[in-house]
Each structure stands twice: as C-alpha cells, then as structure tokens.
Amino acid sequence: SALYKAMAGKTPERSFIMVKPDGVQRGLVGEIVKRFEQRGYTLRAMKMMHASKPHLEEHYKDLSSKGFFKDLVAYMNSGPVVAMVWEGKDAVKTGRKMLGETNPLASAPGTIRGDFCIEVGRNICHGSDSVESANREISLWFKPEEIIAWDPCIKDWIQE
Ligand code: UDP
Ligand code: MG
C-alpha cells in the first residue's frame, strides 16, 4: 500500500559501531560517540564488553580464512570494547565514511581513523559494511531488549 511504502522509506537504518580495545585504552570512546551524536545519529544501544574469542570469531567469521585472522581476534580480545547501535538516514554508508578506510594511512584527515591512528591492526573502531551485516552484528552483540526505543526531542531539526 501507499502507506506502507511511505513508512518503509522512512524506516531508519541502523549500524553497528564499536570502539575497539585500543580506542578504549586511548580514551577515544567519547570522541567517537561525539562524532555520531553531532552528525545527527541516534544512539539506540551501548555497552562495554570484554568479548570472548569465540564471540569475536563469530563477529569476524567472513575473514576466518585470512592470514591476519588469529592476530585480529587476539587484538579484539586484548581488552574491553564499547559496542553501539546508531540509527538514522544512511547510517551504514555514512558511518563507514566517518570511520575512514580499513587502512588508517589511506584514511582522509577528518575521518576517525584518519585523525587518530596509523596501523591497520590498531585502527580503533569498527563499523558495519552493509545493512545486512549491520543486522547480523546487532543481533550478535545485543539482545532485543537492549535496543532502546526513544524519541530524541531534536529529531525534527535533523531529519525532514
Ligand atoms: N585487518 C588487519 N589486516 C588487514 C585487513 C584487516 O589487521 O590486512 C583488521 C583491521 O583491524 C580491520 C579488521 O581486520 O578493521 C576487519 O577487516 P575488514 O576488512 O572488515 O575492515 P573494516 O571493515 O574494519 O574496515
Ligand atoms: Mg569489516
């Protein structure tokens, strides 16, 4: 129906964004949260977690055949992370732009990786690469009841 189409067009997109152990250790949690808040995204869920290796292997399962997989899992298991769900228009693609490239040296200044790091294996943050992976990652890291429905009072000043 026309009503369904109108509503579907407005369904806000969600991305799974995570501050990695090096980002937490370096005190960059607030900086990363600030950028998503300032851009106009809505925080729907957030928790600190020292993720287990099996949990991280599941999160990165698409990369399990890569040579860096073992080191990646060890890096991600080396300390707590801050896992988040951010919602808003084009959250996945724009979230990736805000993060920068996988390799921080290829990341433009102004991006999170381009401003704060220099090593691919110490690139401080994660962001989903598609809506499909966002949904998979969100359900891996959060229980449905941990995703909070709330209405930011500024929403009409951010989205038409
Ligand atoms: N990674 C690495 N070496 C590589 C490629 C990736 O250590 O050559 C790490 C890096 O921390 C990256 C993570 O593995 O963020 C996941 O890789 P992916 O290709 O999914 O990059 P991302 O989506 O994080 O940009
Ligand atoms: Mg990825």
Side-chain angles (χ1 to χ4, degrees):
S1 70
L3 177 63
Y4 177 81
K5 274 186 194 155
M7 284 171 61
K10 284 182 180 165
T11 301
E13 192 170 295
R14 291 173 176 180
S15 187
F16 176 71
I17 303 292
M18 168 166 54
V19 186
K20 295 181 175 183
D22 48 339
V24 172
Q25 289 287 351
R26 293 180 54 198
L28 293 170
V29 175
E31 176 65 36
I32 292 168
V33 169
K34 184 187 76 169
R35 290 179 180 221
F36 281 87
E37 281 185 326
Q38 287 184 340
R39 189 68 192 261
Y41 289 110
T42 302
L43 184 62
R44 290 280 177 202
M46 174 156 73
K47 69 177 163 192
M48 191 176 219
M49 191 169 151
H50 196 145
S52 68
K53 285 189 173 179
H55 183 90
L56 293 161
E57 284 160 3
E58 179 63 28
H59 172 77
Y60 280 124
K61 70 177 178 192
D62 294 351
L63 300 173
S64 61
S65 64
K66 303 283 184 189
F68 59 82
F69 186 69
K70 204 166 176 274
D71 287 346
L72 171 61
V73 171
Y75 156 48
M76 293 298 296
N77 175 246
S78 66
V81 298
V82 173
M84 298 174 277
V85 177
W86 286 96
E87 181 181 276
K89 197 171 194 175
D90 214 14
V92 169
K93 190 152 68 75
T94 306
R96 293 283 292 190
K97 280 193 198 156
M98 291 167 66
L99 258 56
E101 302 298 319
T102 302
N103 181 352
L105 295 182
S107 301
T111 64
I112 293 165
R113 288 167 175 168
D115 285 348
F116 297 111
C117 50
I118 50 177
E119 281 273 3
V120 70
R122 295 287 184 272
N123 61 0
I124 72 169
C125 52
H126 166 84
S128 310
D129 62 7
S130 68
V131 173
E132 194 184 33
S133 27
N135 292 335
R136 184 183 76 83
E137 292 167 2
I138 290 167
S139 58
L140 175 66
W141 288 84
F142 291 100
K143 298 176 191 133
E145 64 268 28
E146 290 176 319
I147 299 168
I148 309 300
W150 65 288
D151 247 352
C153 63
I154 57 167
K155 69 177 191 302
D156 293 339
W157 300 103
I158 289 171
Q159 278 195 208
E160 302 187 78

